[in-house]
Amino acid sequence: MNTKKPDVWLALCVIAGALVYLYSDLHMPVMRSGDPLGPRAFPALIGGGLLFAGALLLVETYRKARAEAAVRVRTEAAARAPSEAAPRAPSEAAPRAPSQAATLAPSEAAPRSHDDIRKGRHQTVVLLAMVVWTALYYTAFEPVGYLVSTAVFLGGLLSYFHRGHYRTNLLVALGFVVIVDLVFSRLLNVPLPAGILSL
Amino acid sequence: MDSLHGILHGLAIAGTPTHLLYTLIGVFIGTMISHLPGIGPSAGIALLIPVTFGMDPITALMMLTGIYYGCMYGGAVTAILLNTPGDAAAVMTVLDGYPLARKGRAAATLAIAAVSSFIAGMIGVTALSFVALPLAAVALHFGPTEYFALILFALTTVSALTGNSLAKGMIATLIGLALATIGIDLQSGVPRFTMGFTELQDRVNFLVVVVGLFAISEVSRMVEGTMGGTLHTVKVKGKLWFTRAEWKRARPAALRGTVVGFLCGAAPGLGGTLAAMLSYVLEKKISKHPEEFGHGAIEGVAAPEAATNADSCGAFVHLLALGVPGSGATAVLMGAFIMYGIQPGPMLFTSQPDLVWGLIASMYVGNIMLLVLNLPLVGLLSRILYVPPGVLLCVVLGIATAGVYSFNNDVFDLYMALGFGVIGYGFRKLDIPKAPLLFGLILGHTLEQSFRQALTLSNSDPRVFLQSPIAAGLLVCSMISVIASVWTNRKPSKAFQEAEARIEETKHLEAERLVEEPR
């Protein structure tokens, strides 16, 4: 049941989001100039659909959890069976277990080790740090300028993800920004912000 | 203009030096992108749309289309050499491609994949040329009622058939439709769901969503790859050609794969993954050596590769003739069409014959170019596999940023793209398919307009959708696809599950072997 938690949360978030969407739709000004439906009707259908989809996900999750519980009970019974009735059980009960277990997702079929959990947490922290780093880069994008902000941004990422290769990282960061700037500014006539270099 | 004249006219257009050059650039970039694990055709096209700003629409669309089928062509390389499918459609190729590569037949397997793809591509484009025009002629009689039903059918099929859960497919589609309602309503002039942001009045920028969902979010996968250290490449060695016996086994498989692939592609929502899977299962069923499948059967490479490439041609049938995309990548292409002010659909054949026939003809030319690129140069091109993922993710983020910013010269778009990147990561972790969201976003506007026009013309009588036989038929088909999905208590197909499980198992064994080797 525990592995289904994210889906339950997702369903609840979708239902909450649908309610907010429908509330905004309800408070939208209406102007029906030759249009019998107005701007509210279609979004109302979408909001209703989202509510239905959220509810459907809850039902799906409940059904899957029940089915998995039933499989688990059968697998445990099959595992006990050889010791209780060794001569006749193997051909019937035992072969079913692996095929049913195979239908479960890897995370459901086998419990994750401490190492996996630690690695997963580390990846989440790194990804969160990347999002913050990228948001900072976007904040500095116009005031600092494309060339400087991108070189610093890429330099930071490369020094973490491609550790120890200082010369290569420097060349990649600088080479990339110069080439992209030339392509966009000269070839495509789409100038990227100059920022502090325009002074 | 009939189909044959159309093809000849198109060849004259596609044969000009500029168009040849940009088709070559497109297929080359597509091949390179397909060699980058995690970056699929949708992300590849989205990343390069900004580069085509300022180009003539025909040239730009030839290049973007080249990227698409170039990606489908080259998807086998990572599957065969890296045990990692370049995109979901290449999952089945991994099953036999990687074992063949481990047996020292990497070069021959790549050659079989390239030739099968070429055959499928050429047959697929020919079928596209002769099927699209009659279909467009039928679609010319469609009114808003039929269009509403057609788009609804495409959306329900995609919701029902993509991913592992009907509810999640529906959620993704409806989020896409909800995003499409953001902005000023064209009929009443009322701003909807803009939350006070003036930037949203002109609707959510499709490019921002695509780059965020498909390119930025894929960076997270690369981060996981970098930290997991699971990529083990088989080097391309030996003579780059297959034996006569291998070809004898692969040829019929490729032809059957082509038929399966084209039919799957021509049905909206089925997609290349299902095409590859069906063709693989078919080959295994009819093979005289089914026990070889999964251990290095050449048919297991030829059939899914042909199916994937024929599917990409089939997907163009309804994109060009009906204005309805068939997959995530064709939805991105449709967005590119719209950005250039071109509405794909039945009128395209009469209003833009140069574009539509030029594009189709460029696919013939592109297929030949791809064969040349993929046979002698595969050893050289596969060197891109050795680019460290840490460097690659930086390059992807850099290109995505420059591309998104250059669209409107607005930092708001960058924040939006980052937001959609985070949403895309959430979608991946929660197993929600992304393609239906894109379908909803791209088709949402037309769906709403058709819905409102149909009801305006019928004085708000909803029975109008049942009075037209075509619309009623399509609505019944939509209902059937949803009911069938619920009825079968949908799970990922057994073949697909087994494929993914086997890839994971092989990777695990490889990792263990590498850990043990230094001892």
Side-chain angles (χ1 to χ4, degrees):
Chain A
M1 196 74 183
N2 223 17
T3 52
K4 298 293 164 205
K5 252 187 185 171
D7 283 354
V8 174
W9 278 109
L10 171 68
L12 295 177
C13 287
V14 168
I15 291 170
L19 290 173
V20 172
Y21 184 76
L22 284 170
Y23 179 82
S24 314
D25 186 44
L26 211 67
H27 287 79
M28 197 188 293
V30 182
M31 276 180 265
R32 286 180 189 168
S33 47
D35 177 15
L37 284 179
R40 277 186 193 167
F42 190 72
L45 286 176
I46 295 171
L50 276 169
L51 280 178
F52 174 75
L56 184 66
L57 184 58
L58 282 177
V59 174
E60 270 187 6
T61 312
Y62 175 70
R63 281 175 61 183
K64 269 185 195 162
R66 273 188 61 177
E68 277 171 27
V71 168
R72 212 172 296 128
V73 168
R74 277 206 298 271
T75 313
E76 282 168 11
R80 277 198 302 269
S83 59
E84 289 164 11
R88 63 189 169 89
S91 62
E92 293 161 21
R96 284 185 70 83
S99 65
Q100 282 163 341
T103 61
L104 300 176
S107 58
E108 292 161 323
R112 293 171 75 199
S113 68
H114 280 295
D115 208 33
D116 286 342
I117 295 170
R118 201 170 47 81
K119 204 189 275 177
R121 278 194 193 139
H122 181 55
Q123 277 179 359
T124 312
V125 171
V126 170
L127 284 171
L128 270 175
M130 263 187 83
V131 171
V132 174
W133 182 237
T134 311
L136 281 173
Y137 162 53
Y138 290 165
T139 310
F141 196 75
E142 275 182 341
V144 178
Y146 173 75
L147 281 174
V148 177
S149 65
T150 308
V152 172
F153 170 71
L154 292 183
L157 285 182
L158 285 164
S159 58
Y160 183 81
F161 290 110
H162 197 223
R163 259 173 259 184
H165 305 83
Y166 303 110
R167 200 179 295 171
T168 315
N169 292 349
L170 191 73
L171 276 173
V172 169
L174 293 179
F176 178 83
V177 290
V178 170
I179 290 170
V180 170
D181 195 54
L182 283 174
V183 167
F184 276 82
S185 309
R186 309 276 171 196
L187 282 178
L188 305 173
N189 284 325
V190 185
L192 294 166
I196 50 173
L197 293 182
S198 65
L199 295 174
Chain B
M1 192 184 291
D2 65 14
S3 297
L4 202 60
H5 275 112
I7 296 168
L8 293 173
H9 178 66
L11 282 171
I13 293 164
T16 60
T18 314
H19 291 155
L20 282 175
L21 175 69
Y22 279 96
T23 305
L24 179 65
I25 293 172
V27 296
F28 181 75
I29 292 173
T31 309
M32 300 290 274
I33 286 171
S34 68
H35 290 15
L36 306 175
I39 302 284
S42 306
I45 299 165
L47 280 174
L48 287 150
I49 286 175
V51 179
T52 63
F53 292 164
M55 278 185 197
D56 158 49
I58 299 179
T59 315
L61 289 169
M62 276 181 184
M63 184 177 132
L64 293 174
T65 310
I67 295 174
Y68 172 47
Y69 56 82
C71 266
M72 305 314 285
Y73 222 91
V77 177
T78 51
I80 293 165
L81 298 182
L82 211 58
N83 194 28
T84 301
D87 55 86
V91 166
M92 305 314 287
T93 309
V94 175
L95 281 183
D96 289 279
Y98 189 66
L100 278 166
R102 293 296 306 272
K103 286 177 191 169
R105 302 292 298 150
T109 312
L110 285 168
I112 283 283
V115 175
S116 305
S117 300
F118 173 74
I119 292 172
M122 294 307 259
I123 297 175
V125 181
T126 309
L128 161 70
S129 317
F130 288 95
V131 172
L133 191 60
L135 189 62
V138 173
L140 273 175
H141 303 291
F142 282 18
T145 317
E146 288 81 11
Y147 253 102
F148 171 78
L150 177 69
I151 295 173
L152 196 70
F153 170 61
L155 291 176
T156 45
T157 320
V158 167
S159 306
L161 296 175
T162 317
N164 303 333
S165 148
L166 171 67
K168 288 180 181 176
M170 278 179 72
I171 288 170
T173 309
L174 288 161
I175 291 175
L177 287 173
L179 286 172
T181 59
I182 295 174
I184 290 181
D185 174 42
L186 292 180
Q187 269 158 295
S188 63
V190 175
R192 301 191 294 185
F193 313 108
T194 54
M195 294 168 279
F197 291 106
T198 48
E199 290 91 345
L200 291 177
Q201 287 187 353
D202 196 21
R203 292 205 255 158
V204 175
N205 184 345
F206 129 89
L207 188 76
V208 168
V209 180
V210 179
V211 170
L213 273 185
F214 288 92
I216 294 182
S217 80
E218 286 307 317
V219 167
S220 65
R221 199 193 293 267
M222 290 182 205
V223 170
E224 286 165 5
T226 311
M227 297 167 86
T230 50
L231 304 178
H232 314 287
T233 315
V234 177
K235 301 233 181 220
V236 183
K237 282 186 282 191
K239 196 179 147 202
L240 190 66
W241 203 245
F242 35 81
T243 60
R244 194 183 286 266
E246 281 171 332
W247 177 235
K248 204 178 159 191
R249 284 177 64 173
R251 192 179 48 198
L255 290 172
R256 283 188 290 266
T258 304
V259 176
V260 172
F262 189 80
L263 292 176
C264 282
L270 293 188
T273 312
L274 192 71
M277 200 186 68
L278 286 178
S279 64
Y280 185 88
V281 172
L282 174 73
E283 286 310 313
K284 196 175 173 180
K285 276 226 157 51
I286 62 173
S287 171
K288 287 175 190 160
H289 317 281
E291 72 285 352
E292 283 182 24
F293 279 76
H295 304 284
I298 202 75
E299 300 95 322
V301 174
E305 274 309 300
T308 313
N309 284 277
D311 171 87
S312 63
C313 298
F316 274 94
V317 172
H318 37 85
L319 175 68
L320 295 175
L322 303 175
V324 175
S327 62
T330 43
V332 180
L333 273 175
M334 182 168 164
F337 271 83
I338 294 168
M339 272 175 48
Y340 282 104
I342 300 159
Q343 182 63 46
M347 291 299 290
L348 204 62
F349 283 85
T350 44
S351 63
Q352 303 261 5
D354 287 2
L355 171 83
V356 71
W357 289 114
L359 199 62
I360 290 173
S362 77
M363 290 165 85
Y364 282 110
V365 179
N367 263 300
I368 297 166
M369 289 172 174
L370 277 168
L371 186 70
V372 176
L373 277 177
N374 277 273
L375 278 178
L377 299 181
V378 71
L380 196 68
L381 289 175
S382 65
R383 282 177 186 274
I384 198 169
L385 298 176
Y386 308 114
V387 175
V391 173
L392 204 61
L393 71 91
C394 293
V395 171
V396 168
L397 270 180
I399 294 175
T401 303
V404 168
Y405 182 82
S406 63
F407 190 73
N408 274 332
N409 281 6
D410 194 344
V411 177
F412 183 80
D413 285 348
L414 292 178
Y415 290 120
M416 287 264 290
L418 182 61
F420 278 107
V422 174
I423 291 172
Y425 173 75
F427 269 39
R428 184 160 71 80
K429 288 289 166 190
L430 292 167
D431 202 18
I432 306 174
K434 293 177 197 170
L437 188 150
L438 212 57
F439 269 61
L441 177 66
I442 287 180
L443 296 175
H445 183 64
T446 320
L447 182 73
E448 181 176 9
Q449 294 309 311
S450 312
F451 179 66
R452 286 165 80 169
Q453 280 168 10
L455 286 175
T456 305
L457 291 172
S458 68
N459 288 324
S460 305
D461 182 3
R463 283 177 301 176
V464 67
F465 297 111
L466 301 174
Q467 282 161 357
S468 151
I470 296 173
L474 286 166
L475 289 177
V476 168
C477 290
S478 310
M479 293 283 285
I480 290 171
S481 69
V482 172
I483 291 167
S485 175
V486 175
W487 188 264
T488 52
N489 192 15
R490 222 157 44 127
K491 276 185 252 166
S493 94
K494 202 178 158 197
F496 197 75
Q497 270 186 342
E498 283 173 1
E500 288 194 321
R502 191 164 295 171
I503 291 168
E504 282 305 314
E505 193 187 9
T506 322
K507 278 186 177 170
H508 189 68
L509 289 173
E510 287 277 353
E512 275 182 355
R513 189 176 58 82
L514 283 184
V515 169
E516 280 167 12
E517 261 174 12
R519 291 180 205 164

